[in-house]
Amino acid sequence: THTHTHTHSELVERSRSDLLDREATAKGSGTSETPEQRAVRLASERERELSDARMSDFIREEEEREAKLRREASQKKEKKDEAKKKRKEDELAALGLRWMEVCAEKTKSSNIITNDLLAEALQGKLAQQESKIKVKLTREELDGFQVAQLSFDSYIILGNKFFKPAKLSFETKQEDDEEKAVVTSGEI
C-alpha cells in the first residue's frame, strides 16, 4: 500500500516555493514574460496545485478506507474467536452431561473410565428411556459420581456397549434452553 507522506499544505507550500524559484530564475536570466504568458503560467501552476491537492485527498481517503476495512476485519476476527472460545467453554462445562454410544474402534486411543456409580446411573437411564444410544445426566448427578480425569476421549463400557461423552451441539443446547423455558414457565 502506498503511504502518503505529504500533507495538502506541504504540497501547496512546495508549489509556491517552486513558483518563486522559477520567477527568480526568470528574472535573473533576463527573460521577461508578457502578462498573458504570466497568467497562463500561473493558471497552469494553480491547476497543478489543485491536481496535487485532489490526489492528496484521494490518497488520504483511500488510506482511511483501508484502515477502516482492516479494523472491521480485525473486529470480525475477534468476535469469531470469542464465539469459538465461548463454544469451547460451553462444551467443557457440559462435559459428561451427555453420553453417546460409539463403536469399539472409536475407543482405541481413549481413556477407559471405571466408575461403578456412573455405569449404574447410565444403565438405569438407558433402561428408562426410548433412546438407547444417548443418555443425559444432570450436573448434580455427574458431580456425585466423582469421575476422575474426564475428557472427550474418555469412555465407559456398559455391558457390551461403549459410551463416550458427547460434545455439546447447537441442537442439544437449544433443547436444553427449551427445557429450561418449560421448567421456569411451569409447563411441566
Side-chain angles (χ1 to χ4, degrees), residues 86-151:
K86 175 77 171 110
R87 214 171 21 256
K88 276 191 170 190
E89 289 171 357
D90 288 348
E91 284 180 353
L92 288 175
L95 176 62
L97 298 181
R98 288 171 183 74
W99 293 79
M100 177 178 263
E101 183 179 353
V102 293
C103 61
E105 289 82 36
K106 298 266 187 187
T107 63
K108 288 190 178 174
S109 64
S110 300
N111 305 315
I112 189 167
I113 299 171
T114 51
N115 185 307
D116 292 338
L117 293 175
L118 176 60
E120 288 173 21
L122 292 174
Q123 286 173 329
K125 286 192 178 250
L126 282 169
Q128 295 173 4
Q129 63 186 31
E130 274 186 47
S131 172
K132 302 298 180 192
I133 61 170
K134 293 182 182 179
V135 182
K136 289 184 182 180
L137 297 173
T138 65
R139 172 57 54 201
E140 294 77 24
E141 289 171 323
L142 183 63
D143 290 347
F145 305 140
Q146 299 179 357
V147 181
Q149 299 180 334
L150 182 62
S151 72

Side-chain angles (χ1 to χ4, degrees), residues 165-180:
K167 289 193 176 184
L168 181 64
S169 68
F170 175 77
E171 292 79 19
T172 55
K173 183 168 180 3
Q174 188 174 19
E175 288 171 12
D176 285 351
D177 290 344
E178 289 169 1
E179 286 174 14
K180 286 177 189 170

